[in-house]
Amino acid sequence: MKHLLSIEALSAQDITDMVNLGVELKKHRNQTPKVLDGQVWALIFNKSSTRTRVSFEVGIRELGGDVIFLSGADSQIGRGEPVKDTARVLGRMVHGAVIRTYAQSDVEEFAEFSKLPTINALTDEEHPCQILADLQLMKERLGGWKGKKVCFLGDGDCNVAKSWMWAAARLGFELTIGAPKEFQPPQTFMDKLGVDNVKLFDDPSQAVDGADVVYTDVWVSMGKEEESAGRIQTMQPYQINPGLMQHAAPGAIVMHCLPAYRGKEITAEVLEEHAEVIFSEAENRLHAQKAVILWMLGHTSLLG
């Protein structure tokens, strides 16, 4: 049984298969195979969501299935029931699970005890679905990632940045992380990553230099709200603005996993200039989620 628990756990072929399938599904949305006909999937979300929830609900229905949504307040997990107990119950009732929560270990434990195909829809460690949608956007707009440079600016130790680093490790493209020293991943993580095509910079212009993709995320992730004032002040030099974009490659695209806070991690001017790309990136969440599910069920194309 396949799961999507992290980018780290995937091979280059796995990633490429899902991205290619996402591209295919987007081109032929009206041909989505009803592989989930008669199935009910559970969405278990302990963190708020717009794009992730909508894309999975629509995607599962387009694949022929039905969805039951459980927030932390709706389930006994919110009252302290062990994840493995909830998993063993749902494993007898539903056909798959999509989990958005805090601890990576919770998603892994759920997959182990539920015996269901399980998708990590975001944890504090990784956001694999987002990166698959982002890579799909790179394939559509830049022809792929081979020979390209991606620059991530802001909190270099957040879940999105870590998933980008694992993607670079698996696929071999150049990735720079532009972040204050205190918001860079620890050396233990870099040692585990074990590659030389991912580099850390505390100088944002040096990080952006020659980048084909300039990427950012919110500076205050869910669960970090008490650090808001300090984070915003420290990361101000890493804002994507017209001046910083002058260091990027000609024709560089800007990406943002949203929601965007104009005037903080990105200026309104830059966001609106690149809005078509950014909202196409958001649209890709739908096609990427469907591709993940098809891949988990053994499909690598609409015909396979």
Side-chain angles (χ1 to χ4, degrees):
M1 178 182 297
K2 287 183 178 178
H3 308 289
L4 178 68
L5 304 181
S6 65
I7 297 293
E8 178 186 0
L10 298 175
S11 68
Q13 190 63 56
D14 291 333
I15 296 170
T16 302
D17 285 346
M18 280 186 273
V19 170
N20 289 341
L21 186 51
V23 171
E24 197 176 356
L25 287 162
K26 186 175 182 179
K27 289 179 179 177
H28 306 286
R29 185 173 176 182
N30 63 344
Q31 298 177 30
T32 299
K34 306 300 181 185
V35 296
L36 300 185
D37 186 36
Q39 294 192 18
V40 177
W41 281 52
L43 270 58
I44 306 166
F45 281 32
N46 292 323
K47 288 189 174 186
S48 59
S49 169
T50 299
R51 281 150 292 278
T52 302
R53 178 177 176 177
V54 172
S55 58
F56 269 113
E57 289 208 20
V58 173
I60 288 169
R61 290 190 171 100
E62 289 191 357
L63 289 165
D66 206 348
V67 178
I68 181 169
F69 180 82
L70 296 169
S71 69
D74 295 330
S75 69
Q76 294 298 329
I77 289 178
R79 298 182 63 197
E81 181 176 43
V83 170
K84 64 182 179 181
D85 290 356
T86 297
R88 286 183 284 201
V89 170
L90 292 183
R92 289 163 167 79
M93 297 182 180
V94 301
H95 302 89
V98 180
I99 303 177
R100 183 177 175 92
T101 191
Y102 294 89
Q104 179 73 20
S105 59
D106 285 352
V107 177
E108 295 171 356
E109 186 175 22
F110 187 96
E112 177 185 356
F113 284 91
S114 71
K115 311 302 182 187
L116 295 172
T118 301
I119 298 173
N120 173 1
L122 178 144
T123 65
D124 288 346
E125 282 298 308
E126 278 216 39
H127 197 353
C129 294
Q130 179 65 56
I131 270 54
L132 291 170
D134 296 337
L135 291 168
Q136 181 178 331
L137 191 284
M138 286 186 69
K139 185 174 182 65
E140 293 166 343
R141 299 303 172 103
L142 301 176
W145 43 80
K146 186 176 181 180
K148 303 300 182 184
K149 176 179 176 179
V150 177
C151 173
F152 182 98
L153 293 167
D155 183 354
D157 196 33
C158 74
N159 50 8
V160 174
K162 286 178 178 175
S163 287
W164 266 114
M165 286 186 270
W166 284 116
R170 297 293 177 260
L171 298 174
F173 59 84
E174 184 180 358
L175 174 69
T176 57
I177 304 292
K181 290 284 190 184
E182 59 266 42
F183 292 106
Q184 294 180 4
Q187 189 59 47
T188 51
F189 178 86
M190 299 303 294
D191 290 342
K192 184 181 180 182
L193 197 66
V195 295
D196 59 9
N197 57 306
V198 178
K199 297 180 173 61
L200 309 180
F201 295 93
D202 57 5
D203 181 338
S205 59
Q206 190 176 2
V208 171
D209 185 47
D212 302 288
V213 176
V214 182
Y215 193 108
T216 193
D217 190 5
V218 296
W219 289 342
V220 184
S221 299
M222 287 177 282
K224 304 289 185 181
E225 289 80 6
E226 73 282 357
E227 303 173 13
S228 178
R231 281 173 169 261
I232 291 170
Q233 181 177 4
T234 302
M235 294 189 200
Q236 195 62 44
Y238 302 86
Q239 178 191 75
I240 300 181
N241 54 44
L244 194 57
M245 285 300 297
Q246 290 181 3
H247 296 276
I253 61 174
V254 172
M255 298 172 69
H256 194 311
C257 56
L258 301 177
Y261 294 92
R262 294 159 174 81
K264 294 189 173 96
E265 73 275 4
I266 189 169
T267 64
E269 177 184 357
V270 172
L271 188 144
E272 293 303 332
E273 181 183 349
H274 294 269
E276 201 280 326
V277 167
I278 290 169
F279 289 97
S280 292
E281 175 190 1
E283 178 195 347
N284 279 357
R285 293 297 302 280
L286 169 63
H287 312 295
Q289 325 294 41
K290 289 160 64 177
V292 166
I293 293 171
L294 285 171
W295 172 82
M296 290 167 64
L297 297 177
H299 300 264
T300 54
S301 76
L302 290 180
L303 303 176

